[in-house]
Amino acid sequence: MTSTIALPQNRTIHRTVLDNGITVLVTENPSADIVAARLFLKAGNRWESRENAGLAHLLSAVLTKGTQRLSSLDIAERVESIGASLGTDSASDYFLVSLKTVSTDFAEMLSLAAELLRSPTFPEAEVELERRLTLQAIRSQQEQPFTVAFDRLRQLMYGQHPYALSSLGTEETVSRLTRRDLQAYYQTHFRPDNLVISIAGRITPAGAIAIVEESFGDWQVPAEPRPAFDLPPLAWQTSEATPPTSRQVTTSQDTQQSIVMLGYLAPPLQPDENTRTDYIALKLLNTYLGNGLSSRLFVELREKRGLAYEVSAFYPTRLDTSHFVTYMGTAPANTAIALEGLKAEMDRLRTTLLTDEELQTAKNKLLGQYALGKQTNAQVAQIFGWYETLELGVKFDTQFQEEVAAVTAETARSAASRCFETAYISLLGSASLLSEHPS
Amino acid sequence: MNFIRTSPTAALSLPATPLTLANKLTLIHQHIPGCGVTTVDVWVKAGAIREINDWSGMAHFLEHMIFKGTARILPGQFDSAIEGRGGMTNAATSYDYAHYFMTLAAPDLVETLPYLADLLLQAAIPDEEFVREREVVFEEIYQTYDSPDYLAFQALVEGVYQRHPYGRPILGTEDLLKQRSPEEMRSFHRRYYQPENMTVVLVGDIAQDQAVDLVERSFCDFQPPGNCPQHQFEAEPPMTRIRRQELRLPRLEQARLMMAWIGPGTDAPAQEKVDDGLPWNRFRSPQLYPDPIKDACGLDLLSATLAEGRTSRLVQELREERQLVSEISSGFSLQQESSLFTITAWLEAEDLERVEALICDRFSHLITAAIDESELNRSKRLLCNDHAFSTETPSQIAGLYGYYHTLADLETAIAYPQWIQAFTSEELQAIANRYLSPYRYAAIVTKPL
């Protein structure tokens, strides 16, 4: 029971920094006639002020809708006429442009991406259209019980921190955003020394770098340095001796299922390996609890007790204090026992050591899925570009696997006892049921 | 490495090998040396269309119960064994099929495949697990009741298929499932989990002789089929007008308009087989009847032309220019007995009628005027590249082969890009005329309560 998946090509990743500060990563993979690229800028929701929440998202929607030479339709025609894909996205910790093409079309698409990043015009009419659609999307989120419950949980946990809000922003902030805000945000963050370009597919490192030089080489670094942006730290850990406490928010909605969500503030990913022991241990516990048909929550709460169809956990990797969340959807009558069930599982990890078999199984699972998550060119470009953007470097790929393998039952328990102390609870369901379970 | 040449007249080489084993089980194998992993995807023609009306939901519930073990395997033991080795496993049920798949390190396959086969062939369906797992299925059903898009789509297909099982929910209902027994499920399982209904797709780091040997050894002990009530197909009343319904939903922030047209089923009508049997000739030989697979490819192209990407007709006009919808999409889903072409728009309730009228007008245009060359080429490249982009990993490839082999034939999975490339504007116009009438379709509009 110890074999894990090892992908054969121990691929070499070629790393270059251009004169203007752009970091280029190239992973040559000739197996399919495809090239994928991910262009990362350190400019996601984390860099938004509270009043401007949703700014990065709106910018991502308008970025592809006009440059000094091309209209929105021109841009779409260039992409779609060759069947390529080009997308933009704003995540918590980064802003992303994604490309995928057949190999021969790659140079053309990267040059288009360069034009979008270097000379966007944010046409007024397009800003207006995308703002209206964003406001609609914010309202539509209210249709999804899970999204509503998570939104409330996040606000409870994060307060004034940018991670408190969804990337779309709020109706209030988005209705106030202007073209000028987009331009100011663009001027601050969109510069070559803030850009990582990660490329994977049927392309040589030399060929890829030549194409990047051609499109991006003469992009000048602005004279003024990129302003520092430090968020006040949000403490996630407490001492092991503290008794568990909880804070709760309830949302009354007339749904068929109740949503029960239990979250904890959790460690960020630190570049320094001495300070990321808890991060690694909690990644492993996340797998143990929530990943797959044999995970602890699935077996205990679904298979043995039939309480849910969907029950899982997530612990996203973040630059700042992250969150470790477990959740399930359950019949309204089961709301209270579902919450007790989740709570009992989390408290158990603070006191009980995993058995050797549980620990080994969780490691095999985490490392196996990690390997399976690096199969396509897009996945490869994404993961290495992201590590570079987080300033961990591509070496983190190996370090992560080694550090996971080194987790012991005691380091896992100790991380759990620090993390799973102050519980944040979000319940969503019919009013009558929730009133029976006051906070 | 095998390949397909780009010219439709050139030889097409199959990168995969289809084999029929002695017990009539189909094996599709493709060796990808050095990729490190192997995917097994087992497709069973035991989807929801096999159920009689009162047994609605049985095929899907059975898919859950398969993982509850056999005389040799305890409930959950298989999942632990696969995931504990770093692999992943899951399953899905549709109208025409259920399929079960796992991806794991290539060397682990020899040890684990016999267990997957045992689950599929010898499912025990223990009484107490049946009752417990039924609660999980109920939770799955309740979850769909909180999804406006799911509810609207279900109402739409009920409007399209008034008698056919394609109009029923795959999950069934709580009331009906409560009336079913473990023994009834066992009879359904024995009847349909038979070798002639089953295709094992093996793609990855495993040589062919080893794959054949392993599958022959693992998939040998089928149960006698026994008796099980069979669905009696009734004639479906033809769509002779617009069937429009309105659905009022709570907590709705935006209205939906969904429209559906019936496309060809892959089973019908009888195909004229060309003499040399080469699949790429399908598009060159004159035929007495429309070829359903060719028409299906044409409907994929029409779908891309209408609503795939910002330059597609409906997105450009309705989202970008007139700004009447926040999103519009189109889809074609291939099914064995009757396919479905759909348009879905998210919009304000006050614009519903106007948008529906505009869509109908644009469908008329599709029938009366040929698509110009550059627009056609755009759609072709989108579909061909999508096809290439979705064949990067063993699990994607295995899924593609299993899907097309179950619904049509393996050649469709391979030759698809060539067939797409061979289309002319006139052919597409004829296909639009055959299926996409602005006067005969089903529509559902959802509005807030």
Side-chain angles (χ1 to χ4, degrees):
Chain A
M1 285 277 289
T2 51
S3 72
T4 46
I5 293 167
L7 293 180
Q9 318 89 329
N10 227 339
R11 299 188 186 113
T12 319
I13 299 135
H14 189 99
R15 181 180 185 277
T16 316
V17 180
L18 306 187
D19 290 344
N20 58 5
I22 298 177
T23 307
V24 186
L25 303 171
V26 188
T27 314
E28 185 175 357
N29 170 24
S31 62
D33 183 27
I34 291 172
V35 179
R38 291 282 193 271
L39 292 78
F40 289 81
L41 290 146
K42 283 173 221 169
N45 314 120
R46 186 184 172 279
W47 283 269
E48 294 169 351
S49 69
R50 185 67 169 204
E51 310 77 64
N52 280 344
L55 181 52
H57 171 267
L58 186 61
L59 191 144
S60 79
V62 188
L63 190 74
T64 63
K65 303 199 84 172
T67 69
Q68 284 160 16
R69 295 190 310 128
L70 302 171
S71 72
S72 167
L73 198 57
D74 293 336
I75 294 165
E77 257 159 20
R78 293 208 175 194
V79 178
E80 293 170 16
S81 65
I82 58 169
S85 77
L86 184 152
T88 52
D89 192 19
S90 93
S92 294
D93 293 334
Y94 55 84
F95 185 96
L96 186 65
V97 178
S98 314
L99 309 179
K100 200 194 277 188
T101 71
V102 293
S103 316
T104 46
D105 296 334
F106 180 67
E108 192 182 334
M109 266 312 97
L110 193 75
S111 138
L112 179 65
E115 186 162 347
L116 299 179
L117 286 171
R118 296 179 60 177
S119 58
T121 47
F122 309 117
E124 198 73 70
E126 299 291 347
V127 175
E128 223 22 73
L129 169 61
E130 294 301 334
R131 180 223 310 283
R132 232 166 25 77
L133 295 176
T134 304
L135 289 170
Q136 182 54 60
I138 292 170
R139 286 192 286 272
S140 292
Q141 286 183 328
Q142 297 297 313
E143 291 176 352
Q144 300 157 4
F146 172 86
T147 310
V148 174
F150 181 53
D151 212 45
R152 301 286 314 271
L153 181 76
R154 205 161 36 182
Q155 291 184 34
L156 183 68
M157 295 174 88
Y158 282 105
Q160 289 303 306
H161 190 283
Y163 289 172
L165 301 176
S166 104
S167 69
L168 296 180
T170 67
E171 288 193 66
E172 197 195 347
T173 59
V174 172
S175 31
R176 279 201 312 260
L177 292 174
T178 63
R179 175 165 184 261
R180 196 178 296 250
D181 295 324
L182 296 185
Q183 285 169 322
Y185 193 82
Y186 171 80
Q187 292 297 343
T188 311
H189 300 292
F190 285 60
R191 42 192 286 163
D193 54 350
N194 194 32
L195 176 63
V196 173
I197 301 180
S198 177
I199 298 167
R202 190 177 288 178
I203 190 165
T204 63
I209 288 160
I211 289 169
V212 175
E213 280 279 11
E214 175 80 26
S215 304
F216 287 94
D218 57 353
W219 194 7
Q220 301 292 317
V221 184
E224 70 282 10
R226 188 167 164 258
F229 188 86
D230 291 321
L231 289 166
L234 188 61
W236 66 270
Q237 60 175 15
T238 44
S239 84
E240 292 192 31
T242 336
T245 59
S246 65
R247 295 166 201 188
Q248 185 168 322
V249 60
T250 58
T251 311
S252 160
Q253 272 197 358
D254 200 12
T255 51
Q256 300 292 312
Q257 255 193 341
S258 294
I259 305 290
V260 177
M261 216 171 250
L262 179 63
Y264 304 86
L265 289 169
L269 174 53
Q270 306 279 349
D272 177 1
E273 66 176 272
N274 296 315
T275 60
R276 64 174 180 239
T277 325
D278 285 343
Y279 163 83
I280 297 283
L282 289 162
K283 275 288 184 193
L284 188 67
L285 288 177
N286 177 56
T287 298
Y288 169 74
L289 284 170
N291 191 330
L293 310 179
S294 63
S295 66
R296 173 83 189 178
L297 297 179
F298 194 94
V299 170
E300 293 300 318
L301 301 175
R302 172 171 155 162
E303 302 288 273
K304 293 189 183 165
R305 297 173 68 187
L307 286 174
Y309 169 66
E310 191 174 349
V311 50
S312 194
F314 55 92
Y315 170 37
T317 294
R318 289 283 182 270
L319 271 175
D320 289 307
T321 297
S322 183
H323 44 276
F324 193 115
V325 178
T326 61
Y327 69 95
M328 63 200 277
T330 192
N334 291 334
T335 310
I337 54 167
L339 178 58
E340 280 159 27
L342 286 177
K343 195 77 177 48
E345 288 301 327
M346 304 309 284
D347 288 341
R348 170 179 167 271
L349 293 177
R350 303 183 69 197
T351 50
T352 310
L353 291 172
L354 298 189
T355 65
D356 290 346
E357 194 192 335
E358 284 175 316
L359 188 70
Q360 192 56 51
T361 301
K363 287 179 182 178
N364 291 350
K365 204 190 274 194
L366 177 54
L367 295 173
Q369 312 242 330
Y370 183 74
L372 289 179
K374 291 189 293 181
Q375 291 186 88
T376 68
N377 288 309
Q379 289 170 328
V380 169
Q382 170 74 26
I383 199 157
F384 293 124
W386 183 44
Y387 288 164
E388 183 68 34
T389 307
L390 292 173
E391 295 174 16
L392 296 156
V394 295
K395 65 179 186 303
F396 185 64
D397 181 49
T398 352
Q399 289 172 340
F400 175 75
Q401 301 178 61
E402 288 165 4
E403 289 168 28
V404 167
V407 174
T408 66
E410 183 45 43
T411 52
R413 192 207 58 81
S414 147
S417 70
R418 276 188 290 278
C419 184
F420 306 145
E421 187 251 318
T422 304
Y424 294 83
I425 295 162
S426 176
L427 299 179
L428 179 147
S430 70
S432 57
L433 276 158
L434 296 176
S435 65
E436 289 167 27
H437 314 290
S439 40
Chain B
M1 189 66 198
N2 295 295
F3 61 92
I4 301 164
R5 287 183 235 276
T6 48
S7 155
T9 55
L12 172 135
S13 70
L14 283 177
T17 313
L19 298 153
T20 307
L21 306 185
N23 62 3
K24 295 193 190 144
L25 178 82
T26 304
L27 166 63
I28 296 172
H29 169 260
Q30 181 171 331
H31 190 191
I32 306 178
C35 75
V37 298
T38 297
T39 291
V40 186
D41 200 341
V42 182
W43 292 71
V44 195
K45 286 189 176 176
I49 56 166
R50 301 290 202 178
E51 303 155 347
I52 58 170
N53 287 338
D54 283 354
W55 287 28
S56 174
M58 183 70 98
H60 165 262
F61 185 12
L62 170 60
E63 173 230 300
H64 280 235
M65 291 305 295
I66 288 286
F67 290 93
K68 297 298 180 180
T70 66
R72 289 198 298 156
I73 305 171
L74 293 170
Q77 202 181 358
F78 175 77
D79 312 330
S80 303
I82 301 305
E83 294 179 351
R85 286 172 167 85
M88 63 81 61
T89 180
N90 217 326
T93 304
S94 187
Y95 290 105
D96 294 324
Y97 55 80
H99 74 124
Y100 301 82
F101 47 95
M102 60 180 189
T103 296
L104 66 184
D108 288 338
L109 187 73
V110 177
E111 216 176 306
T112 51
L113 189 65
Y115 290 99
L116 178 63
D118 193 44
L119 288 182
L120 290 166
L121 273 49
Q122 302 293 328
I125 312 172
D127 290 354
E128 66 280 15
E129 293 290 341
F130 180 92
V131 174
R132 199 170 8 226
E133 190 64 16
R134 201 168 54 191
E135 296 297 318
V136 174
V137 174
F138 293 160
E139 292 295 344
E140 192 174 358
I141 292 172
Y142 303 150
Q143 193 173 24
T144 67
Y145 293 162
D146 286 328
S147 163
D149 289 314
Y150 176 90
L151 294 173
F153 185 75
Q154 199 53 54
L156 179 75
V157 294
E158 277 169 30
V160 175
Y161 300 109
Q162 302 182 327
R163 306 268 168 77
H164 196 280
Y166 287 154
R168 300 183 310 218
I170 290 168
L171 300 180
T173 64
E174 193 177 346
D175 283 349
L176 287 175
L177 287 172
K178 275 189 173 151
Q179 296 166 32
R180 301 281 68 82
S181 71
E183 190 46 41
E184 287 169 335
M185 184 181 278
R186 287 178 207 120
S187 76
F188 185 90
H189 171 254
R190 283 192 300 262
R191 173 68 184 79
Y192 295 109
Y193 282 58
Q194 291 295 333
E196 64 277 12
N197 280 335
M198 209 177 267
T199 301
V200 179
V201 190
L202 259 184
V203 175
D205 213 342
I206 178 169
Q208 187 173 315
D209 48 355
Q210 201 193 355
V212 173
D213 180 55
L214 186 58
V215 172
E216 272 178 344
R217 276 191 292 117
S218 308
F219 289 81
C220 55
D221 199 5
F222 285 86
Q223 299 185 56
N227 290 318
C228 169
Q230 272 180 281
H231 185 79
Q232 300 299 319
F233 285 95
E234 299 171 68
E236 181 71 32
M239 196 117 69
T240 52
R241 59 186 175 84
I242 300 168
R243 294 181 189 162
R244 190 181 294 100
Q245 300 171 77
E246 189 175 301
L247 191 64
R248 296 270 176 176
L249 293 174
R251 300 180 302 105
L252 201 69
E253 298 287 337
Q254 207 177 14
R256 270 78 162 168
L257 167 65
M258 292 187 182
M259 302 161 80
W261 290 259
I262 289 177
T266 52
D267 274 358
Q271 288 176 41
E272 289 287 293
K273 283 283 174 199
V274 288
D275 290 344
D276 60 3
L278 295 174
W280 53 90
N281 283 340
R282 157 173 265 154
F283 282 27
R284 299 166 57 225
S285 321
Q287 290 180 325
L288 294 175
Y289 302 102
D291 178 336
I293 304 297
K294 176 170 181 176
D295 284 6
C297 291
L299 288 163
D300 271 347
L301 274 168
L302 289 167
S303 171
T305 304
L306 285 167
E308 178 75 44
R310 199 191 292 163
T311 62
S312 66
R313 293 183 176 186
L314 297 177
V315 174
Q316 191 182 330
E317 181 180 1
L318 298 177
R319 183 193 192 270
E320 303 290 320
E321 287 165 13
R322 293 178 188 256
Q323 306 188 0
L324 288 168
V325 302
S326 61
E327 207 179 315
I328 185 159
S329 69
S330 136
F332 175 69
S333 66
L334 191 63
Q335 299 188 127
Q336 231 170 303
E337 293 175 5
S338 157
S339 295
L340 206 56
F341 188 98
T342 53
I343 298 278
T344 305
W346 288 260
L347 69 173
E348 297 305 316
E350 69 215 39
D351 295 323
L352 279 163
E353 283 177 26
R354 186 168 168 216
V355 168
E356 187 176 337
L358 281 166
I359 292 170
C360 286
D361 183 71
R362 302 313 178 250
F363 271 59
S364 299
H365 189 65
L366 214 49
I367 293 167
T368 50
I371 299 172
D372 78 43
E373 197 65 23
S374 69
E375 195 182 8
L376 179 60
N377 283 338
R378 183 203 81 107
S379 297
K380 286 179 177 178
R381 286 193 76 166
L382 278 175
L383 292 183
C384 291
N385 285 9
D386 273 355
H387 188 267
F389 294 165
S390 55
T391 50
E392 277 190 86
T393 68
S395 63
Q396 290 174 321
I397 296 169
L400 189 79
Y401 291 168
Y403 175 80
Y404 279 111
H405 178 76
T406 302
L407 289 177
D409 45 39
L410 179 61
E411 287 77 8
T412 305
I414 316 284
Y416 182 84
Q418 285 180 293
W419 295 349
I420 290 294
Q421 287 297 347
F423 266 95
T424 65
S425 296
E426 292 69 32
E427 288 172 313
L428 280 184
Q429 203 177 340
I431 289 171
N433 187 39
R434 194 172 300 142
Y435 299 103
L436 303 181
S437 164
Y439 309 107
R440 290 186 298 278
Y441 61 89
I444 186 96
V445 296
T446 61
K447 293 178 180 172
L449 262 185

PDB file of all heavy atoms in Angstrom, chain A residues 66-71 115 118-121:
ATOM      1  N   GLY A  66     -10.493  46.043 -25.377  1.00  0.00           N
ATOM      2  CA  GLY A  66     -10.023  47.194 -26.152  1.00  0.00           C
ATOM      3  C   GLY A  66      -8.574  47.520 -25.863  1.00  0.00           C
ATOM      4  O   GLY A  66      -8.148  47.513 -24.713  1.00  0.00           O
ATOM      5  N   THR A  67      -7.789  47.740 -26.943  1.00  0.00           N
ATOM      6  CA  THR A  67      -6.420  48.235 -26.793  1.00  0.00           C
ATOM      7  C   THR A  67      -6.288  49.433 -27.722  1.00  0.00           C
ATOM      8  O   THR A  67      -7.231  49.799 -28.423  1.00  0.00           O
ATOM      9  CB  THR A  67      -5.374  47.177 -27.210  1.00  0.00           C
ATOM     10  OG1 THR A  67      -5.460  46.988 -28.626  1.00  0.00           O
ATOM     11  CG2 THR A  67      -5.592  45.856 -26.497  1.00  0.00           C
ATOM     12  N   GLN A  68      -5.092  50.014 -27.722  1.00  0.00           N
ATOM     13  CA  GLN A  68      -4.909  51.182 -28.588  1.00  0.00           C
ATOM     14  C   GLN A  68      -5.178  50.857 -30.056  1.00  0.00           C
ATOM     15  O   GLN A  68      -5.617  51.705 -30.818  1.00  0.00           O
ATOM     16  CB  GLN A  68      -3.495  51.747 -28.396  1.00  0.00           C
ATOM     17  CG  GLN A  68      -3.409  52.529 -27.076  1.00  0.00           C
ATOM     18  CD  GLN A  68      -1.999  52.713 -26.582  1.00  0.00           C
ATOM     19  OE1 GLN A  68      -1.042  52.531 -27.324  1.00  0.00           O
ATOM     20  NE2 GLN A  68      -1.856  53.082 -25.323  1.00  0.00           N
ATOM     21  N   ARG A  69      -4.926  49.613 -30.477  1.00  0.00           N
ATOM     22  CA  ARG A  69      -5.144  49.276 -31.888  1.00  0.00           C
ATOM     23  C   ARG A  69      -6.402  48.447 -32.149  1.00  0.00           C
ATOM     24  O   ARG A  69      -6.892  48.407 -33.266  1.00  0.00           O
ATOM     25  CB  ARG A  69      -3.940  48.483 -32.422  1.00  0.00           C
ATOM     26  CG  ARG A  69      -2.616  49.254 -32.455  1.00  0.00           C
ATOM     27  CD  ARG A  69      -1.564  48.464 -33.213  1.00  0.00           C
ATOM     28  NE  ARG A  69      -1.490  47.082 -32.730  1.00  0.00           N
ATOM     29  CZ  ARG A  69      -1.555  46.001 -33.516  1.00  0.00           C
ATOM     30  NH1 ARG A  69      -1.713  46.129 -34.817  1.00  0.00           N
ATOM     31  NH2 ARG A  69      -1.461  44.790 -32.988  1.00  0.00           N
ATOM     32  N   LEU A  70      -6.883  47.734 -31.129  1.00  0.00           N
ATOM     33  CA  LEU A  70      -7.916  46.731 -31.384  1.00  0.00           C
ATOM     34  C   LEU A  70      -9.189  46.977 -30.572  1.00  0.00           C
ATOM     35  O   LEU A  70      -9.123  47.334 -29.405  1.00  0.00           O
ATOM     36  CB  LEU A  70      -7.383  45.336 -31.023  1.00  0.00           C
ATOM     37  CG  LEU A  70      -6.113  44.865 -31.734  1.00  0.00           C
ATOM     38  CD1 LEU A  70      -5.609  43.570 -31.105  1.00  0.00           C
ATOM     39  CD2 LEU A  70      -6.392  44.649 -33.230  1.00  0.00           C
ATOM     40  N   SER A  71     -10.324  46.745 -31.220  1.00  0.00           N
ATOM     41  CA  SER A  71     -11.606  46.822 -30.516  1.00  0.00           C
ATOM     42  C   SER A  71     -11.884  45.486 -29.831  1.00  0.00           C
ATOM     43  O   SER A  71     -11.194  44.487 -30.078  1.00  0.00           O
ATOM     44  CB  SER A  71     -12.728  47.113 -31.509  1.00  0.00           C
ATOM     45  OG  SER A  71     -12.950  45.957 -32.294  1.00  0.00           O
ATOM     46  N   GLU A 115      -0.205  42.675 -26.044  1.00  0.00           N
ATOM     47  CA  GLU A 115      -0.900  43.918 -26.374  1.00  0.00           C
ATOM     48  C   GLU A 115      -1.967  44.242 -25.327  1.00  0.00           C
ATOM     49  O   GLU A 115      -2.130  45.396 -24.919  1.00  0.00           O
ATOM     50  CB  GLU A 115      -1.516  43.789 -27.772  1.00  0.00           C
ATOM     51  CG  GLU A 115      -2.132  45.084 -28.231  1.00  0.00           C
ATOM     52  CD  GLU A 115      -2.359  45.147 -29.730  1.00  0.00           C
ATOM     53  OE1 GLU A 115      -1.823  44.291 -30.469  1.00  0.00           O
ATOM     54  OE2 GLU A 115      -3.096  46.049 -30.157  1.00  0.00           O
ATOM     55  N   ARG A 118      -0.162  45.442 -22.198  1.00  0.00           N
ATOM     56  CA  ARG A 118       0.649  46.660 -22.309  1.00  0.00           C
ATOM     57  C   ARG A 118      -0.134  47.901 -22.731  1.00  0.00           C
ATOM     58  O   ARG A 118       0.254  49.011 -22.385  1.00  0.00           O
ATOM     59  CB  ARG A 118       1.810  46.411 -23.283  1.00  0.00           C
ATOM     60  CG  ARG A 118       2.765  45.346 -22.767  1.00  0.00           C
ATOM     61  CD  ARG A 118       3.888  45.091 -23.724  1.00  0.00           C
ATOM     62  NE  ARG A 118       4.675  46.306 -23.964  1.00  0.00           N
ATOM     63  CZ  ARG A 118       5.769  46.334 -24.728  1.00  0.00           C
ATOM     64  NH1 ARG A 118       6.188  45.223 -25.321  1.00  0.00           N
ATOM     65  NH2 ARG A 118       6.416  47.465 -24.894  1.00  0.00           N
ATOM     66  N   SER A 119      -1.195  47.723 -23.514  1.00  0.00           N
ATOM     67  CA  SER A 119      -1.892  48.940 -23.959  1.00  0.00           C
ATOM     68  C   SER A 119      -3.408  48.822 -23.937  1.00  0.00           C
ATOM     69  O   SER A 119      -4.087  49.088 -24.922  1.00  0.00           O
ATOM     70  CB  SER A 119      -1.411  49.332 -25.358  1.00  0.00           C
ATOM     71  OG  SER A 119      -1.643  48.266 -26.254  1.00  0.00           O
ATOM     72  N   PRO A 120      -3.959  48.409 -22.785  1.00  0.00           N
ATOM     73  CA  PRO A 120      -5.422  48.337 -22.712  1.00  0.00           C
ATOM     74  C   PRO A 120      -6.001  49.749 -22.615  1.00  0.00           C
ATOM     75  O   PRO A 120      -5.345  50.637 -22.062  1.00  0.00           O
ATOM     76  CB  PRO A 120      -5.675  47.568 -21.419  1.00  0.00           C
ATOM     77  CG  PRO A 120      -4.506  47.898 -20.555  1.00  0.00           C
ATOM     78  CD  PRO A 120      -3.340  48.068 -21.481  1.00  0.00           C
ATOM     79  N   THR A 121      -7.203  49.939 -23.164  1.00  0.00           N
ATOM     80  CA  THR A 121      -7.792  51.287 -23.117  1.00  0.00           C
ATOM     81  C   THR A 121      -9.008  51.370 -22.191  1.00  0.00           C
ATOM     82  O   THR A 121      -9.516  52.454 -21.942  1.00  0.00           O
ATOM     83  CB  THR A 121      -8.201  51.743 -24.531  1.00  0.00           C
ATOM     84  OG1 THR A 121      -8.913  50.675 -25.154  1.00  0.00           O
ATOM     85  CG2 THR A 121      -6.970  52.096 -25.355  1.00  0.00           C
TER      86      THR A 121
END
